[in-house]
Amino acid sequence: MGQTFRAATVTDAIRQAKEELGPDALILEVRRSAFDGGVEIVAATGQTGEFPVTGNGRTGPLPRIDALAALRRRASRTGSAPNGTSGESDIGRSWGPDDLDVDFIRQYGVSERLASDLAMACGAGSALRRHAAVTHVLQRRISTEDLVGTGHERVVAALVGPSGVGKTTTIAKLAAIFSATRGRRVALVTTDTYRVGGIAQLKTFAEILQLPFYTVYTREDLDHALEETAEADLVLVDTPGCNPYDAAMLKEMRNLIASNTPVTCYLTLAMTGDFDELIAASQRFALLNPAGLIATKLDETRRAPAVIGLVEQTRLPLTYTCAGPLVPDDIAVASPAALADLLLSAMEYRYQRELVRQ
């Protein structure tokens, strides 16, 4: 059960929750207060190692595993290393890449060379060394970066992608993070005038977060909205879902966001999709010249490490990953260490299943 905190602003309500429940408190819901016109949030103590409960009351199909703890358990279970020594004396020992590990990693769309390097890193000895080694490989081969830099230069970011990938919810998460916890001046713009409820959904988030909100129908409307939000550090632009195989729709999207003010596009893709289709979609959306990638719905798939293959093949920097519908908690800045967690957790899950079969 969550606790309810009421305040005049979202920032104050979140501060109350974290003071009461600790810095790892999970924000389960943000809504208008029926009492005084302010806002109220529902928060709970953070539960490390579990997916947050989704709207249907069930957790994601594959539990989050503490990769380091999981690999320590693996070391203690394997007991006998190739020379018959115990699991404890195994710590610090290195082996070459296991063919089974290479094949396992390659199923996530990873190239043979990168899969081989990652498999080698997975044999780097202790759990801490394995995690560090995998992270190091990913740092060299995979690009990650934040959507907004450390400075206060103005950023206008449009999230583009197929329908149903979670662009609007992701924008709400980003808006909450940057306005409530990073102190940025944020404005919201929607061009999603086709989807039923599309405008209302983002407008509600804007009202709750007390952010400027604009609805755009034409490129001239967008120019006006960006002029009106000139003092905002970050302008987040929601766009309608676009069929990647509809060339006319893609060109219409490109023309709409071709504002006098530079707009940076970020391709948003749900990891629940077929990998080949994700690659094909990224190739089609290249028309919009995306500067980075946002991967969503990692909690709804058993193939979350495929984001590594997706980033490698698209050569787009990974900016954020989303694993759940909760605003603003279910989003994280992408990092090689986090991607290493995904891969090592999946490998541990595989080993656990193999042990059960034995």
Side-chain angles (χ1 to χ4, degrees):
M1 291 290 292
Q3 291 181 236
T4 301
F5 299 87
R6 297 184 180 88
T9 67
V10 173
T11 303
D12 291 340
I14 291 177
R15 185 180 300 112
Q16 290 179 25
K18 293 188 181 294
E19 288 176 353
E20 177 73 19
L21 303 176
D24 295 326
L26 294 177
I27 310 303
L28 305 178
E29 186 177 357
V30 181
R31 62 197 179 208
R32 280 281 183 198
S33 173
F35 296 95
D36 54 11
V39 298
E40 58 185 31
I41 66 172
V42 179
T45 303
Q47 299 294 320
T48 303
E50 297 181 0
F51 277 117
V53 177
T54 57
N56 58 13
R58 297 177 297 170
T59 57
L62 178 59
R64 285 178 182 161
I65 303 171
D66 182 328
L68 300 184
L71 287 171
R72 291 190 189 100
R73 291 195 299 272
R74 178 188 173 192
S76 65
R77 280 199 306 271
T78 52
S80 56
N83 61 359
T85 57
S86 67
E88 288 299 321
S89 60
D90 158 49
I91 299 302
R93 184 178 299 278
S94 297
W95 296 286
D98 187 295
D99 289 340
L100 293 177
D101 285 347
V102 173
D103 292 342
F104 178 79
I105 296 170
R106 288 212 66 193
Q107 72 171 321
Y108 295 121
V110 176
S111 67
E112 184 172 0
R113 179 182 175 187
L114 178 55
S116 180
D117 289 347
L118 289 170
M120 179 76 77
C122 289
S126 69
L128 289 172
R129 289 180 179 177
R130 292 173 191 177
H131 187 271
V134 172
T135 300
H136 179 66
V137 170
L138 292 172
Q139 281 177 333
R140 291 187 294 109
R141 304 289 295 279
I142 297 295
S143 178
T144 61
E145 63 181 36
D146 200 344
L147 183 141
V148 174
T150 56
H152 280 269
E153 65 279 4
R154 186 175 190 232
V155 174
V156 180
L159 270 59
V160 299
S163 60
V165 298
K167 294 185 295 296
T168 304
T169 303
T170 300
I171 281 181
K173 294 173 183 176
L174 292 170
I177 290 171
F178 281 101
S179 64
T181 65
R182 296 201 191 180
R184 296 294 184 123
R185 293 168 295 182
V186 179
L188 301 182
V189 174
T190 183
T191 66
D192 189 4
T193 57
Y194 301 105
R195 179 169 59 95
V196 175
I199 297 175
Q201 183 182 3
L202 194 59
K203 184 178 181 181
T204 299
F205 282 123
E207 291 175 348
I208 291 173
L209 296 170
Q210 299 181 353
L211 301 177
F213 174 79
Y214 294 85
T215 302
V216 166
Y217 293 90
T218 66
R219 185 168 65 182
E220 289 72 23
D221 291 342
L222 181 59
D223 288 335
H224 175 72
L226 295 181
E227 289 174 2
E228 290 290 310
T229 59
E231 294 186 359
D233 299 320
L234 175 62
V235 181
L236 295 168
V237 182
D238 194 14
T239 65
C242 187
N243 180 351
Y245 301 107
D246 189 327
M249 185 178 291
L250 284 169
K251 289 179 181 178
E252 182 180 353
M253 175 72 67
R254 182 184 61 181
N255 293 335
L256 176 62
I257 61 178
S259 170
N260 293 329
T261 301
V263 177
T264 304
C265 291
Y266 289 87
L267 178 59
T268 308
L269 295 174
M271 296 309 300
T272 50
D274 174 79
F275 187 82
D276 290 340
E277 289 292 337
L278 293 177
I279 295 298
S282 69
Q283 293 170 345
R284 302 290 292 181
F285 276 99
L287 180 68
L288 304 180
N289 193 29
L293 178 69
I294 297 175
T296 65
K297 302 191 178 184
L298 270 71
D299 58 316
E300 297 182 20
T301 177
R302 294 181 185 272
R303 294 179 51 80
V307 68
I308 297 173
L310 183 62
V311 176
E312 182 192 22
Q313 292 202 33
T314 62
R315 298 183 180 180
L316 290 174
L318 183 65
T319 57
Y320 285 86
T321 58
C322 300
L326 303 182
V327 177
D329 291 285
D330 294 337
I331 189 170
V333 178
S335 70
L339 294 177
D341 286 338
L342 281 178
L343 179 61
L344 291 170
S345 295
M347 295 186 72
E348 170 62 16
Y349 182 72
R350 187 195 84 176
Y351 291 124
Q352 287 178 349
R353 293 187 64 182
E354 290 176 350
L355 286 175
V356 170
R357 294 192 186 102
Q358 293 175 0

